[in-house]
Amino acid sequence: MAPGHYFWAIFYFACLCSASLANNAKVNFREKEKKILDQILGAGKYDARIRPSGINGTDGPAIVRINLFVRSIMTISDIKMEYSVQLTFREQWLDERLKFDDIGGRLKYLTLTEANRVWMPDLFFSNEKEGHFHNIIMPNVYIRIFPYGSVLYSIRISLTLACPMNLKLYPLDRQVCSLRMASYGWTTADLVFLWKEGDPVQVVKNLHLPRFTLEKFLTDYCNSKTNTGEYSCLKVDLLFKREFSYYLIQIYIPCCMLVIVSWVSFWLDQGAVPARVSLGVTTLLTMATQTSGINASLPPVSYTKAIDVWTGVCLTFVFGALLEFALVNYASRSDMHRENMKKKRRELEQASLDAASDLLDTDSNATFAMKPLVRHPGDPLALEKLRQCEVHMQAPKRPNCCRSWLAKFPTSPLKKVPCFGRGKCSRSKRIDVISRITFPLVFALFNLVYWSTYLFREEEEE
């Protein structure tokens, strides 16, 4: 055989050997993973009931570092004082019993889906009300074991957590909702939780909430001591600010409109009883319904909320407008009774004058008698003339500014007589004129005090 043929035969044989070795290496790589798992987790070699050693293999507590990724915040309930959150929860710790050979860096980590195969920290959420794992399509959980013995546990969970709220400034308030994680059975002598260095809590971008805005979040430690020992605890404080625009449109502006509508009765005629009564009762019932609807969406608390002050004062103004009409109606009937009495008195005086004139006509031929110059004590005619003289002798009264200003408003619809013009004022009209000015001024003053007080308190708490 020629030397060239030997060369090509040897080259072909070398290619076959290299391909065979490559295939064997690929198969052996997967087999190596199985062998490593059987080696480190085999029966009698690893006990998941025993916690890992401390730092550098000491007998100190096992260190577990935690970080979170907040995927979404679904609801924040005021009446139940709770909130729902979906997050990816991760724990990482070092277990030197799980060290393995990484085959020259080709095996980065081993993956498990069964958490009961390795030791797990007994962490629980202390303010949890409800919670569940996600199992669609497969359970959203995995465990990674790294060559140097580090274990990473990751799981996606949804939680409903308690969030005690202080509603004194509602709806101008800020609420702090916490997420607390603690060890259930291991004390700090055996297990310590620490936040992962760098960025322990992450929040998804463009997080949208219906009535709140997530302003910021803070991480802290909350170790607790009981009669069985001290337990490690971590917490995340989420600071939520309530969106005020919703409540401005749904509560504050409608209440203002109802109060202003109740003032329309001040401009209606006092004789329009059905119109004024129906307007007052309708606004009062509407305001009461609005108040009950607001309270239905809030928990029954023992203190007064900012919204309670607002609705209570608005309800008082509407009720005051209804009472004002009752006072106007009473004053109108009183004025009518007074006018009737004056009319009767004038009729009696006129009748007496007519009788006196008739008597003078019949006695015109009688003998004229001289009246004495000295006034007798019981003479009624002399007393009446004396009173007239005293009236003309009195000093003129000073003009009253308020009466002069109110005199500009005509209050007698028939005669167009000013309220303080010649003493013929209608008291019912006077009450309406005063109410037209007093009610808006007092309500404007209340708004100034209300918004100044609660906005200042909001900035102070912030």
Side-chain angles (χ1 to χ4, degrees):
M1 185 179 291
H5 293 162
Y6 283 114
F7 173 77
W8 287 111
I10 294 172
F11 178 76
Y12 178 73
F13 181 75
C15 290
L16 290 178
C17 290
S18 62
S20 178
L21 289 174
N23 292 332
N24 290 335
K26 185 177 180 181
V27 174
N28 292 338
F29 179 73
R30 298 304 176 191
E31 290 291 333
K32 188 66 175 178
E33 290 184 10
K34 178 180 179 303
K35 290 181 180 180
I36 291 174
L37 287 174
D38 293 339
Q39 179 182 356
I40 61 177
L41 298 177
K45 295 183 179 180
Y46 184 87
D47 193 343
R49 299 172 298 176
I50 307 300
R51 71 168 179 87
S53 303
I55 299 176
N56 298 325
T58 62
D59 194 30
I63 305 299
V64 178
R65 299 189 179 274
I66 293 176
N67 68 313
L68 305 173
F69 177 68
V70 179
R71 293 182 172 272
S72 63
I73 299 176
M74 280 76 74
T75 58
I76 301 176
S77 175
D78 295 316
I79 190 169
K80 294 182 179 180
M81 290 194 178
E82 64 183 22
Y83 72 104
S84 300
V85 61
Q86 183 185 128
L87 51 88
T88 299
F89 174 74
R90 303 186 187 98
E91 296 176 307
Q92 193 166 7
W93 65 93
L94 181 63
D95 193 345
E96 295 183 352
R97 297 173 295 176
L98 299 177
K99 288 182 178 181
F100 62 89
D101 183 16
D102 60 354
I103 315 176
R106 298 181 63 184
L107 190 59
K108 294 182 179 180
Y109 53 80
L110 302 174
T111 301
L112 295 178
T113 56
E114 299 176 0
N116 57 356
R117 297 288 302 275
V118 297
W119 175 88
M120 293 290 300
D122 60 342
L123 181 141
F124 77 105
F125 297 93
S126 58
N127 59 333
E128 173 203 355
K129 286 187 174 181
E130 294 179 358
H132 67 273
F133 301 126
H134 293 265
N135 297 318
I136 298 176
I137 297 176
M138 292 293 292
N140 298 165
V141 58
Y142 68 82
I143 299 175
R144 290 178 180 175
I145 303 175
F146 294 89
Y148 53 91
S150 178
V151 181
L152 174 63
Y153 174 75
S154 178
I155 187 171
R156 187 165 73 100
I157 53 179
S158 292
L159 300 170
T160 300
L161 304 164
C163 179
M165 299 182 181
N166 186 355
L167 300 173
K168 288 184 178 180
L169 298 181
Y170 177 91
L172 300 167
D173 57 334
R174 286 178 169 83
Q175 301 297 336
V176 178
C177 295
S178 298
L179 174 64
R180 294 175 176 265
M181 300 159 286
S183 173
Y184 190 80
W186 299 97
T187 64
T188 53
D190 297 315
L191 179 62
V192 173
F193 292 120
L194 296 177
W195 286 113
K196 185 179 179 180
E197 297 178 358
D199 195 6
V201 178
Q202 299 173 338
V203 180
V204 65
K205 295 182 179 179
N206 301 323
L207 179 65
H208 295 287
L209 298 174
R211 298 184 186 180
F212 289 88
T213 300
L214 180 61
E215 287 193 330
K216 60 182 178 180
F217 52 88
L218 303 172
T219 57
D220 201 357
Y221 296 88
C222 54
N223 293 3
S224 60
K225 291 183 179 180
T226 65
N227 56 1
T228 57
E230 181 180 1
Y231 297 90
S232 183
C233 175
L234 303 178
K235 72 171 181 178
V236 184
D237 290 332
L238 304 173
L239 179 60
F240 296 102
K241 180 183 179 182
R242 198 181 299 272
E243 289 291 343
F244 180 69
S245 57
Y246 169 82
Y247 300 93
L248 180 65
I249 297 173
Q250 297 294 328
I251 296 177
Y252 284 92
I253 292 179
C255 288
C256 284
M257 295 174 64
L258 287 174
V259 172
I260 294 173
V261 167
S262 68
W263 298 341
V264 175
S265 63
F266 303 153
W267 300 87
L268 297 179
D269 187 74
Q270 58 186 2
V273 177
R276 297 187 69 163
V277 170
S278 60
L279 180 62
V281 172
T282 302
T283 53
L284 183 63
L285 293 178
T286 306
M287 191 67 213
T289 304
Q290 180 86 347
T291 303
S292 62
I294 295 170
N295 293 329
S297 61
L298 294 172
V301 293
S302 58
Y303 48 82
T304 302
K305 303 179 289 294
I307 195 66
D308 294 336
V309 176
W310 175 264
T311 55
V313 172
C314 291
L315 189 63
T316 303
F317 270 94
V318 174
F319 183 67
L322 186 60
L323 289 183
E324 188 270 349
F325 170 68
L327 182 61
V328 166
N329 187 266
Y330 172 78
S332 177
R333 288 186 285 108
S334 178
D335 292 338
M336 188 179 299
H337 177 71
R338 183 175 60 181
E339 292 296 329
N340 291 334
M341 295 298 295
K342 287 182 179 180
K343 185 177 180 182
K344 289 181 180 179
R345 190 179 300 111
R346 286 195 297 268
E347 290 177 354
L348 290 175
E349 291 176 356
Q350 186 66 30
S352 63
L353 290 175
D354 293 342
S357 63
D358 293 342
L359 183 61
L360 290 175
D361 291 341
T362 55
D363 295 344
S364 59
N365 298 327
T367 304
F368 178 75
M370 293 294 293
K371 298 295 181 180
L373 296 176
V374 181
R375 179 177 62 83
H376 297 285
D379 192 354
L381 183 60
L383 290 174
E384 181 65 25
K385 291 184 177 181
L386 181 61
R387 291 193 189 97
Q388 294 177 2
C389 293
E390 290 177 353
V391 169
H392 290 290
M393 295 284 290
Q394 287 179 355
K397 296 182 179 179
R398 294 182 178 179
N400 192 310
C401 297
C402 296
R403 291 190 176 187
S404 301
W405 180 70
L406 288 174
K408 299 178 182 178
F409 298 93
T411 57
S412 179
L414 298 178
K415 299 181 180 180
K416 302 298 181 182
V417 179
C419 188
F420 293 95
R422 294 191 296 270
K424 297 180 181 180
C425 172
S426 172
R427 289 185 297 174
S428 59
K429 281 293 181 180
R430 186 186 311 171
I431 295 172
D432 273 343
V433 170
I434 295 174
S435 299
R436 293 171 191 172
I437 303 165
T438 306
F439 273 71
L441 286 179
V442 176
F443 189 68
L445 180 62
F446 161 72
N447 273 270
L448 179 62
V449 174
Y450 179 87
W451 295 112
S452 301
T453 301
Y454 283 101
L455 289 178
F456 175 75
R457 290 180 61 182
E458 181 189 11
E459 293 177 357
E460 191 177 52
E461 287 201 356
E462 181 181 1

